[in-house]
mmCIF file with all atom_site columns, all heavy atoms in Angstrom:
data_model
loop_
_atom_site.group_PDB
_atom_site.id
_atom_site.type_symbol
_atom_site.label_atom_id
_atom_site.label_alt_id
_atom_site.label_comp_id
_atom_site.label_asym_id
_atom_site.label_entity_id
_atom_site.label_seq_id
_atom_site.pdbx_PDB_ins_code
_atom_site.Cartn_x
_atom_site.Cartn_y
_atom_site.Cartn_z
_atom_site.occupancy
_atom_site.B_iso_or_equiv
_atom_site.pdbx_formal_charge
_atom_site.auth_seq_id
_atom_site.auth_comp_id
_atom_site.auth_asym_id
_atom_site.auth_atom_id
_atom_site.pdbx_PDB_model_num
ATOM 1  N N   . PRO A 1 119 ? 5.863  -6.225  8.817  1.00 0.00 ? 119 PRO A N   1
ATOM 2  C CA  . PRO A 1 119 ? 6.513  -7.089  9.887  1.00 0.00 ? 119 PRO A CA  1
ATOM 3  C C   . PRO A 1 119 ? 6.142  -6.487  11.277 1.00 0.00 ? 119 PRO A C   1
ATOM 4  O O   . PRO A 1 119 ? 5.988  -5.282  11.430 1.00 0.00 ? 119 PRO A O   1
ATOM 5  C CB  . PRO A 1 119 ? 7.962  -6.908  9.555  1.00 0.00 ? 119 PRO A CB  1
ATOM 6  C CG  . PRO A 1 119 ? 8.074  -6.406  8.209  1.00 0.00 ? 119 PRO A CG  1
ATOM 7  C CD  . PRO A 1 119 ? 6.918  -5.663  7.892  1.00 0.00 ? 119 PRO A CD  1
ATOM 8  N N   . LEU A 1 120 ? 6.057  -7.414  12.253 1.00 0.00 ? 120 LEU A N   1
ATOM 9  C CA  . LEU A 1 120 ? 5.589  -7.033  13.600 1.00 0.00 ? 120 LEU A CA  1
ATOM 10 C C   . LEU A 1 120 ? 6.692  -6.050  14.172 1.00 0.00 ? 120 LEU A C   1
ATOM 11 O O   . LEU A 1 120 ? 6.294  -5.160  15.013 1.00 0.00 ? 120 LEU A O   1
ATOM 12 C CB  . LEU A 1 120 ? 5.523  -8.284  14.429 1.00 0.00 ? 120 LEU A CB  1
ATOM 13 C CG  . LEU A 1 120 ? 4.442  -9.246  14.095 1.00 0.00 ? 120 LEU A CG  1
ATOM 14 C CD1 . LEU A 1 120 ? 4.477  -10.474 15.040 1.00 0.00 ? 120 LEU A CD1 1
ATOM 15 C CD2 . LEU A 1 120 ? 3.026  -8.589  14.092 1.00 0.00 ? 120 LEU A CD2 1
ATOM 16 N N   . GLN A 1 121 ? 7.919  -6.224  13.867 1.00 0.00 ? 121 GLN A N   1
ATOM 17 C CA  . GLN A 1 121 ? 9.019  -5.347  14.453 1.00 0.00 ? 121 GLN A CA  1
ATOM 18 C C   . GLN A 1 121 ? 8.763  -3.882  13.841 1.00 0.00 ? 121 GLN A C   1
ATOM 19 O O   . GLN A 1 121 ? 9.090  -2.944  14.606 1.00 0.00 ? 121 GLN A O   1
ATOM 20 C CB  . GLN A 1 121 ? 10.359 -5.746  14.158 1.00 0.00 ? 121 GLN A CB  1
ATOM 21 C CG  . GLN A 1 121 ? 10.742 -5.834  12.674 1.00 0.00 ? 121 GLN A CG  1
ATOM 22 C CD  . GLN A 1 121 ? 10.439 -7.226  12.029 1.00 0.00 ? 121 GLN A CD  1
ATOM 23 O OE1 . GLN A 1 121 ? 9.645  -7.997  12.582 1.00 0.00 ? 121 GLN A OE1 1
ATOM 24 N NE2 . GLN A 1 121 ? 11.256 -7.599  10.963 1.00 0.00 ? 121 GLN A NE2 1
ATOM 25 N N   . VAL A 1 122 ? 8.192  -3.802  12.724 1.00 0.00 ? 122 VAL A N   1
ATOM 26 C CA  . VAL A 1 122 ? 7.945  -2.364  12.168 1.00 0.00 ? 122 VAL A CA  1
ATOM 27 C C   . VAL A 1 122 ? 6.813  -1.774  12.956 1.00 0.00 ? 122 VAL A C   1
ATOM 28 O O   . VAL A 1 122 ? 6.747  -0.605  13.267 1.00 0.00 ? 122 VAL A O   1
ATOM 29 C CB  . VAL A 1 122 ? 7.654  -2.474  10.649 1.00 0.00 ? 122 VAL A CB  1
ATOM 30 C CG1 . VAL A 1 122 ? 7.246  -1.078  10.173 1.00 0.00 ? 122 VAL A CG1 1
ATOM 31 C CG2 . VAL A 1 122 ? 8.861  -2.973  10.048 1.00 0.00 ? 122 VAL A CG2 1
ATOM 32 N N   . LEU A 1 123 ? 5.820  -2.546  13.376 1.00 0.00 ? 123 LEU A N   1
ATOM 33 C CA  . LEU A 1 123 ? 4.609  -2.119  14.029 1.00 0.00 ? 123 LEU A CA  1
ATOM 34 C C   . LEU A 1 123 ? 5.020  -1.553  15.455 1.00 0.00 ? 123 LEU A C   1
ATOM 35 O O   . LEU A 1 123 ? 4.393  -0.563  15.877 1.00 0.00 ? 123 LEU A O   1
ATOM 36 C CB  . LEU A 1 123 ? 3.624  -3.267  14.318 1.00 0.00 ? 123 LEU A CB  1
ATOM 37 C CG  . LEU A 1 123 ? 2.927  -3.748  13.015 1.00 0.00 ? 123 LEU A CG  1
ATOM 38 C CD1 . LEU A 1 123 ? 2.041  -5.030  13.432 1.00 0.00 ? 123 LEU A CD1 1
ATOM 39 C CD2 . LEU A 1 123 ? 2.143  -2.800  12.265 1.00 0.00 ? 123 LEU A CD2 1
ATOM 40 N N   . ASP A 1 124 ? 6.059  -2.085  16.037 1.00 0.00 ? 124 ASP A N   1
ATOM 41 C CA  . ASP A 1 124 ? 6.500  -1.683  17.418 1.00 0.00 ? 124 ASP A CA  1
ATOM 42 C C   . ASP A 1 124 ? 7.554  -0.507  17.418 1.00 0.00 ? 124 ASP A C   1
ATOM 43 O O   . ASP A 1 124 ? 7.899  -0.100  18.480 1.00 0.00 ? 124 ASP A O   1
ATOM 44 C CB  . ASP A 1 124 ? 7.085  -2.885  18.129 1.00 0.00 ? 124 ASP A CB  1
ATOM 45 C CG  . ASP A 1 124 ? 5.984  -3.956  18.397 1.00 0.00 ? 124 ASP A CG  1
ATOM 46 O OD1 . ASP A 1 124 ? 4.779  -3.506  18.593 1.00 0.00 ? 124 ASP A OD1 1
ATOM 47 O OD2 . ASP A 1 124 ? 6.396  -5.069  18.591 1.00 0.00 ? 124 ASP A OD2 1
ATOM 48 N N   . GLN A 1 125 ? 7.848  -0.012  16.240 1.00 0.00 ? 125 GLN A N   1
ATOM 49 C CA  . GLN A 1 125 ? 8.823  1.086   16.217 1.00 0.00 ? 125 GLN A CA  1
ATOM 50 C C   . GLN A 1 125 ? 8.062  2.363   16.691 1.00 0.00 ? 125 GLN A C   1
ATOM 51 O O   . GLN A 1 125 ? 7.079  2.670   16.227 1.00 0.00 ? 125 GLN A O   1
ATOM 52 C CB  . GLN A 1 125 ? 9.414  1.328   14.744 1.00 0.00 ? 125 GLN A CB  1
ATOM 53 C CG  . GLN A 1 125 ? 10.319 0.147   14.293 1.00 0.00 ? 125 GLN A CG  1
ATOM 54 C CD  . GLN A 1 125 ? 10.765 0.347   12.875 1.00 0.00 ? 125 GLN A CD  1
ATOM 55 O OE1 . GLN A 1 125 ? 10.293 1.290   12.138 1.00 0.00 ? 125 GLN A OE1 1
ATOM 56 N NE2 . GLN A 1 125 ? 11.563 -0.616  12.417 1.00 0.00 ? 125 GLN A NE2 1
#
Side-chain angles (χ1 to χ4, degrees):
L120 295 182
Q121 61 268 26
V122 174
L123 295 176
D124 291 330
Q125 290 177 356

